[in-house]
Amino acid sequence: MLQFIENNWPAFASAVAIVLLTILLAYLINRFFLRLIRKSTAHLNNDPTNYHFLRHSLRAIVYIVGFSIAIFQVPQLRTVASTLLAGAGVLAVAVGFAAQHALSNIISGIFIIIFKPFRINDRLTIGPVGGVVEDITLRHTVIRDFENRRVLIPNSRISDDVIVNADFTDERICRFIEMDISYDSDPELARRIMQEEVTAHPLSIDVRTPEQLEAETPRVMVRVLSLGDSSVNMRAWAWAKDQADAFAMGCELLESIKKRFDQEGVEIPFPHRTIVQKQVVVEKPTQ
């Protein structure tokens, strides 16, 4: 082996140099795009999705081209590569069967970039997984869940699944605030309290149209949903600018409405059961 390298050391040196240059070029491309993404998102508020995908694509192309050129620098390896290229048809079929799942992920990733069902920083729910899109690579999409864990989902699976995108087109979120009151409580009083609490919350926004404002439509709609076994079930529609604000607002409104109900005598009931115990008359046997 050493004799072989000594006889072909210029070719091996060129191959090693090309490999090192390839790694360096891929590193510089990665650094360049990361800086570009930080600048464009920090100052220009641009969508970084295309930049991320282009970064991964260029790095893959650089590695493939660089390593291919390095192989062709060594005459013996060039012969092997030429032999493989001569049987490229058979090789392509074999690789196609072996890598069809990987190719489907790459094609699905390209479709995601073209049609944009979601972007970087969008909040998604895909099956049981929910979180923020952190990156879209050639093979998978990286989602950061709300416990700060990274979930890697293959692009082909995302293409076949139902996606709930909270930030698609319109980021505003309607949060349902549902409260149950007892049958002895006044629904009008409960409705007024819920409307006042939602309106006063700093994260609540007004989504009424000019026509609704002119018609004096209430900013917060509160309706009776159903009559339960031991409660009147009510719902308020509270709007926030995005999902993060909607979650925080919903938690705080449940607490503030509960306190107002306690102060003004609106009862939040617990289930009641009426138990009837029947007496069984046991006849004494006759003597």
Side-chain angles (χ1 to χ4, degrees), residues 7 9 24 47 76 85 112 135 157 173 176 192 201 214 284:
N7 294 335
W9 72 265
L24 178 61
D47 176 20
Q76 287 75 8
L85 288 176
I112 289 172
D135 198 2
R157 177 178 174 182
I173 295 291
F176 294 152
R192 178 176 60 81
H201 197 280
E214 186 177 353
K284 295 182 179 181

Side-chain angles (χ1 to χ4, degrees), residues 25-270:
L25 181 59
Y27 172 77
L28 293 176
I29 288 175
N30 188 56
R31 286 289 302 273
F32 169 76
F33 274 97
L34 288 177
R35 293 182 62 183
L36 180 64
I37 290 168
R38 281 196 294 266
K39 285 185 179 180
S40 62
T41 53
H43 302 292
L44 303 177
N45 199 25
N46 288 335
D47 176 20
T49 304
N50 292 340
Y51 295 140
H52 275 283
F53 194 79
L54 186 59
R55 173 171 66 95
H56 294 300
S57 301
L58 287 179
R59 290 179 64 201
I61 292 172
V62 166
Y63 278 123
I64 293 173
V65 173
F67 288 139
S68 299
I69 295 175
I71 290 173
F72 272 86
Q73 295 302 309
V74 182
Q76 287 75 8
L77 295 179
R78 188 186 311 161
T79 304
V80 175
S82 300
T83 305
L84 292 175
L85 288 176
V90 178
L91 181 64
V93 173
V95 172
F97 279 111
Q100 57 182 345
H101 190 64
L103 291 175
S104 67
N105 286 327
I106 294 174
I107 294 173
S108 298
I110 293 173
F111 283 163
I112 289 172
I113 296 301
I114 293 174
F115 296 106
K116 281 187 171 57
F118 54 85
R119 300 166 299 175
I120 302 294
N121 297 324
D122 280 2
R123 293 177 176 84
L124 301 184
T125 300
I126 304 173
V129 178
V132 180
V133 179
E134 195 169 71
D135 198 2
I136 303 173
T137 70
L138 292 174
R139 188 178 185 279
H140 54 256
T141 296
V142 182
I143 295 180
R144 183 182 73 251
D145 69 8
F146 299 112
E147 296 178 353
N148 203 36
R149 298 175 300 183
R150 272 60 179 178
V151 182
L152 279 65
I153 305 178
N155 292 329
S156 59
R157 177 178 174 182
I158 292 177
S159 298
D160 295 333
D161 212 336
V162 176
I163 303 172
V164 179
N165 189 344
D167 298 320
F168 192 79
T169 306
D170 189 355
E171 296 184 1
R172 297 177 300 176
I173 295 291
C174 181
R175 181 80 174 190
F176 294 152
I177 310 297
E178 297 185 357
M179 304 292 292
D180 299 338
I181 64 173
S182 68
Y183 280 98
D184 295 332
S185 300
D186 183 4
E188 287 299 326
L189 175 59
R191 176 180 289 108
R192 178 176 60 81
I193 291 173
M194 295 174 74
Q195 288 176 332
E196 290 176 355
E197 290 299 315
V198 174
T199 303
H201 197 280
L203 298 179
S204 173
I205 62 174
D206 191 350
V207 296
R208 289 177 294 178
T209 63
E211 292 78 11
Q212 290 174 328
L213 289 171
E214 186 177 353
E216 297 183 352
T217 302
R219 173 178 170 177
V220 180
M221 298 298 299
V222 180
R223 300 188 184 278
V224 175
L225 284 184
S226 62
L227 302 177
D229 293 338
S230 58
S231 64
V232 178
N233 308 317
M234 305 185 69
R235 173 185 290 176
W237 280 256
W239 285 85
K241 69 175 184 178
D242 54 35
Q243 185 160 336
D245 281 3
F247 177 78
M249 178 183 67
C251 297
E252 293 169 4
L253 282 175
L254 289 176
E255 182 178 354
S256 64
I257 292 173
K258 166 66 168 58
K259 291 179 179 178
R260 284 286 303 278
F261 278 4
D262 292 343
Q263 292 173 3
E264 304 196 25
V266 178
E267 181 186 4
I268 298 177
F270 51 87

